[in-house]
Amino acid sequence: MNAHSSLRTAMKPIVVSNAVLARASEAIPSEADFPVAAPGSDYDTVRRILAYITNNWRQQPTIEAIADAAGATPTDVHHLFRRWCGLTPKAFLQAITLDNAKGLLASSASILDTSFEVGLSGPGRLHDLFVTHEAMSPGEWKTGGEGLRMSYGFHQSPFGEALVVVTERGLAGLGWVSNTLDGGKVIGGRAEALADMMRRWPHADYRFDPQATAPYATRIFEPGNWSPQTPLRVVLIGTDFEVRVWETLLRIPVGCATTYGDVADHIGKPSAARAVGAAVGKNPISFVVPCHRVIGKSGALTGYHWGLTRKRAILGWEAGQVAGGEAA
């Protein structure tokens, strides 16, 4: 267990104005309007395990120590990971190590150039969500979403409670309700998660409509629903540069990774790795536009808007989807 990546680094939180946070709080209905979540979800345990490993990897903790930290038995932990991502705990931990991340980068530059050439039915994209996307015009972005109706809902996912935001043109936002174990730039409850989206498009009309967002959540988080026959519609709302970066991220297949520098090279801006990093950090559609697959050139898992614990969880879960598909 020679390092389950670098130690967690503190991230400067997003500062959301009191006015935006108040608006978000008012927009969220009462707890009675939300389904009662089952206590102790798989991800609750997974993130405790990942947080423990992040802080103790130098001691190379045993599976017994990890299980104890998670309040479970080694057998429980084994079954948990099998159920949650299809891997043994050992295989999952190997998938999120620095050495494995370096291996993912071995062909990262060519991945960006060739991944779409084989088409959506190509073997390299066997495990992908199959996304079709469009971008809003610069004028629409500059208005801050004025005149745009955004429906939102909160849904359970393999990585905690997800916030899904959609327009009539497709998925526009995907984030998470995060706590201190997740880390990241937005920690709090549903209001904070919604405020993070609202600050991006402050003049949009936000409507709580979980019936409109539920089909998207099911489509995104159920691999059995990933199909080229029913592509997921996504709308990208950002600057021209940001949209170019996000479109490039969509080229990274599940089970692969790339670097900020390779993304910069791909869009013809080889000296703009830092600007690419900023655009990656502003990606509003987590998981679907896979900013979690961009890592440092050393293989280190660098900052993630929704927290490095969640980034490790997603990468390990995706490794399970790839392993399961190859075994099928």
Side-chain angles (χ1 to χ4, degrees), residues 79-98:
H79 290 310
L80 163 71
F81 278 91
R82 277 294 194 186
R83 179 175 65 247
W84 181 70
C85 69
L87 297 176
T88 65
K90 181 179 179 180
F92 176 86
L93 297 179
Q94 288 175 341
I96 60 172
T97 60
L98 182 63

Side-chain angles (χ1 to χ4, degrees), residues 100-116 125 248-253 255-267 293-299:
N100 187 66
K102 288 178 179 178
L104 295 180
L105 293 177
S107 58
S108 62
S110 62
I111 282 172
L112 295 178
D113 293 330
T114 63
S115 61
F116 270 10
R125 307 195 70 81
T248 302
L249 300 186
L250 287 170
R251 292 179 175 268
I252 311 171
C256 298
T258 193
T259 67
Y260 301 98
D262 282 336
V263 174
D265 287 341
H266 183 79
I267 65 174
R293 297 178 198 155
V294 185
I295 60 182
K297 63 182 179 181
S298 68

Side-chain angles (χ1 to χ4, degrees), residues 227-250:
S227 168
Q229 282 71 46
T230 56
L232 176 67
R233 293 187 299 117
V234 169
V235 57
L236 304 176
I237 310 173
T239 67
D240 286 343
F241 181 81
E242 288 168 350
V243 168
R244 288 177 66 194
V245 170
W246 301 339
E247 286 175 333
T248 302
L249 300 186
L250 287 170

Side-chain angles (χ1 to χ4, degrees), residues 28 214 221 293:
I28 294 177
F221 296 119
R293 297 178 198 155

Side-chain angles (χ1 to χ4, degrees), residues 44 60 67 78 177 194 214:
D44 287 339
Q60 299 187 22
H78 180 86
V177 179
L194 181 58

Side-chain angles (χ1 to χ4, degrees), residues 76 113-114 129 137 161 173-175 209-210 245 263 283 291 306 308:
D76 289 338
D113 293 330
T114 63
L129 272 160
S137 70
E161 188 174 23
L174 174 59
D209 190 354
V245 170
V263 174
N283 168 35
C291 50
W306 288 277
L308 286 182

